[in-house]
């Protein structure tokens, strides 16, 4: 499962991939870096297992930016769906297997859907209301228009999550459509799989959300709903990665530094996710009146038992003060030399 997320806000303009671009985190355009990330989710837990830094077209074409940020020559501009496809391909080559892929509207393009099917996986991908479908009769409709064809009795009210305020229920329906993403590349080619439009309707406001689905065989509605709702685990993972590992706090501006920092953050989060899963297994059914242990709670326990507390001696503080000031001086000298070189270069 994957989605694009902002990993840092308020960056220096020369940071790798930094540009004024849309960020879902801030809900608008801001100077930021954007990364495509992939979550692996099971019934026992979930964690981020892959990431790719999005390099905007202007940054990819700017030789000065590439030199300052240390972008390798072989790295060229790639769209977010292309980066997502590369992450899936890399995970598949390393033996990571999943039944379904889910993501938001950014990743509903035909090329990525075809790539997912080529890897032997199904998908449940959110689409916009104006996304076009072809029905079995050959008629073309948008997702919003296709909802009118669903009979009133076809809607099923199902629980689709449990929050702190109680269970969340929505009305769901499924409409069979013609596939347009067979790996062979032939539009409308029939195969053993099943293509469908999945619709979620708010039971009070009537607001609808739409998902394009494909499964290798017959799949019950409840299974597709579970995959669609698993997309929120991505949001949870991003918040946890920022909270417990500082994913958005790395003071790095170069290509290699960004990948090193993000790799360490993802590794820390994976370790915590596995530890939580093992702890839940070992205490299953032993305690009542408690929620299952969470990743932030596990981190608090580790800090009190395994991770040593920071030293607060005067000599230790003075040592790190001198270290920071020394490196800040070197950085200042490097900036001055670069500015002098840039001013002298015709």
């Amino acid at each position: 499962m994957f989605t694009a997320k902002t990993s840092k806000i308020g960056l220096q303009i020369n940071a790798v991939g930094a540009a004024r671009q849309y960020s879902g985190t801030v809900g608008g355009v801001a100077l930021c870096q954007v990364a495509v990330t992939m979550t692996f989710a099971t019934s026992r837990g979930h964690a981020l297992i892959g990431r790719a830094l999005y390099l905007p077209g202007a940054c990819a074409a700017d030789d000065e930016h590439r030199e300052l940020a240390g972008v390798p020559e072989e790295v060229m501009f790639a769209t977010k769906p292309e980066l997502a496809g590369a992450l899936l391909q890399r995970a598949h080559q390393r033996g990571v297997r999943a039944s379904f892929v889910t993501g938001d509207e950014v990743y509903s393009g035909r090329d990525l859907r075809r790539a997912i099917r080529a890897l032997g996986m199904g998908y449940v991908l959110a689409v916009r209301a104006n996304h076009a479908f072809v029905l079995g009769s050959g008629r073309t409709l948008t997702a919003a228009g296709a909802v009118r064809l669903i009979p009133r009795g076809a809607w099923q009210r199902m629980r689709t999550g449990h929050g702190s305020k109680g269970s969340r229920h929505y009305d769901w329906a499924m409409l069979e459509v013609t596939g347009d993403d067979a790996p062979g590349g032939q539009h409308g080619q029939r195969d053993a799989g099943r293509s469908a439009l999945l619709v979620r309707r708010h039971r009070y406001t009537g607001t609808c959300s739409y998902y394009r689905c494909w499964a290798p065989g017959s799949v019950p509605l409840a299974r597709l709903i579970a995959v669609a709702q698993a997309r929120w685990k991505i949001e949870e993972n991003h918040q946890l990665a920022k909270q417990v590992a500082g994913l958005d706090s790395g003071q790095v501006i170069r290509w290699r530094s960004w990948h090193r920092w993000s790799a360490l953050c993802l590794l820390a989060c994976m370790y915590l996710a596995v530890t939580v899963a093992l702890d839940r297994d070992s205490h299953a059914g032993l305690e009542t009146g408690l929620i299952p242990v969470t990743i932030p709670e596990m981190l608090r326990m580790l800090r009190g038992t395994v991770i040593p507390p920071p030293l607060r001696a005067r000599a230790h503080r003075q040592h790190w003060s001198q270290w920071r000031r020394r490196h800040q001086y070197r950085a200042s000298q490097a900036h001055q030399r670069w500015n002098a070189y840039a001013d002298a270069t015709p």
Side-chain angles (χ1 to χ4, degrees):
M1 296 166 231
F2 46 85
T3 187
K5 280 294 166 185
T6 299
S7 56
K8 182 116 180 106
I9 304 294
L11 295 163
Q12 299 181 42
I13 192 64
N14 61 341
V16 60
R20 291 192 59 81
Q21 53 190 321
Y22 177 80
S23 162
T25 301
V26 300
V29 176
L31 175 61
C32 58
Q33 289 169 318
V34 172
V36 176
T37 57
M38 182 170 62
T39 283
F40 185 71
T42 71
S43 59
R44 298 182 63 200
H46 50 90
L48 292 171
I49 64 169
R51 82 282 184 248
L53 180 64
Y54 174 68
L55 195 63
C59 295
D62 188 341
D63 291 338
E64 182 179 0
H65 177 86
R66 296 178 66 95
E67 181 180 357
L68 288 174
V71 179
E73 293 184 0
E74 64 273 15
V75 175
M76 307 302 292
F77 171 74
T79 65
K80 294 170 186 175
E82 288 172 341
L83 293 175
L87 286 175
L88 287 171
Q89 183 69 40
R90 194 175 304 124
H92 190 269
Q93 291 173 349
R94 284 166 169 75
V96 179
R97 296 293 184 267
S99 300
F100 282 91
V101 174
T102 186
D104 59 26
E105 294 91 342
V106 175
Y107 304 101
S108 60
R110 184 182 304 170
D111 290 341
L112 181 55
R113 289 189 278 114
R114 183 175 291 139
I116 293 171
R117 290 185 55 176
L119 293 174
M121 296 181 287
Y123 60 75
V124 179
L125 299 170
V127 295
R128 295 182 174 86
N130 61 354
H131 184 87
F133 294 88
V134 178
L135 304 181
S137 62
R139 183 182 178 187
T140 300
L141 288 175
T142 63
V147 173
R148 304 187 186 97
L149 301 179
I150 301 175
R152 180 176 300 181
W155 293 94
Q156 298 185 41
R157 182 159 297 176
M158 303 183 69
R159 191 180 76 172
T160 54
H162 186 83
S164 58
K165 298 182 180 179
S167 300
R168 294 187 291 268
H169 293 81
Y170 292 91
D171 294 332
W172 294 84
M174 186 166 57
L175 184 68
E176 190 167 353
V177 300
T178 301
D180 66 345
D181 51 18
Q186 297 180 10
H187 179 76
Q189 177 179 334
R190 290 191 174 274
D191 52 33
R194 185 180 183 186
S195 295
L197 168 65
L198 179 67
V199 185
R200 187 190 72 181
R201 185 178 67 185
H202 195 282
R203 56 178 175 160
Y204 298 127
T205 65
T207 304
C208 291
S209 300
Y210 312 95
Y211 303 86
R212 182 151 197 161
C213 311
W214 184 85
S218 180
V219 177
L221 176 62
R223 173 62 168 153
L224 296 180
I225 293 174
V227 176
Q229 295 308 301
R231 184 167 65 92
W232 296 107
K233 297 184 185 300
I234 303 170
E235 306 291 339
E236 182 180 342
N237 283 340
H238 275 279
Q239 293 302 321
L240 286 172
K242 295 175 184 179
Q243 178 182 350
V244 305
L247 180 62
D248 60 341
S249 302
Q251 300 298 317
V252 294
I253 64 172
R254 293 177 63 81
W255 177 269
R256 182 174 296 181
S257 300
W258 184 90
H259 283 83
R260 286 175 173 172
W261 174 261
S262 58
L264 289 173
C265 293
L266 265 61
L267 182 61
C269 291
M270 282 185 252
Y271 173 82
L272 289 170
V274 172
T275 305
V276 165
L278 294 175
D279 182 84
R280 289 179 177 179
D281 289 345
S282 62
H283 293 87
L286 298 180
E287 297 177 285
T288 60
L290 299 174
I291 67 169
V293 66
T294 62
I295 287 180
E297 185 64 27
M298 179 60 68
L299 180 61
R300 295 186 190 98
M301 291 190 290
L302 290 174
R303 281 174 174 164
T305 58
V306 178
I307 303 176
L311 295 176
R312 303 189 181 279
R314 180 182 179 86
H316 181 78
R317 289 176 177 270
Q318 289 180 339
H319 168 78
W320 282 108
S321 173
Q322 293 177 356
W323 184 91
R324 286 191 297 270
R325 289 156 54 198
R326 182 179 303 110
H327 281 267
Q328 288 168 358
Y329 173 79
R330 292 176 179 174
S332 175
Q333 293 296 308
H335 281 298
Q336 292 177 16
R337 288 194 298 270
W338 169 254
N339 291 332
Y341 166 78
D343 292 340
T345 303

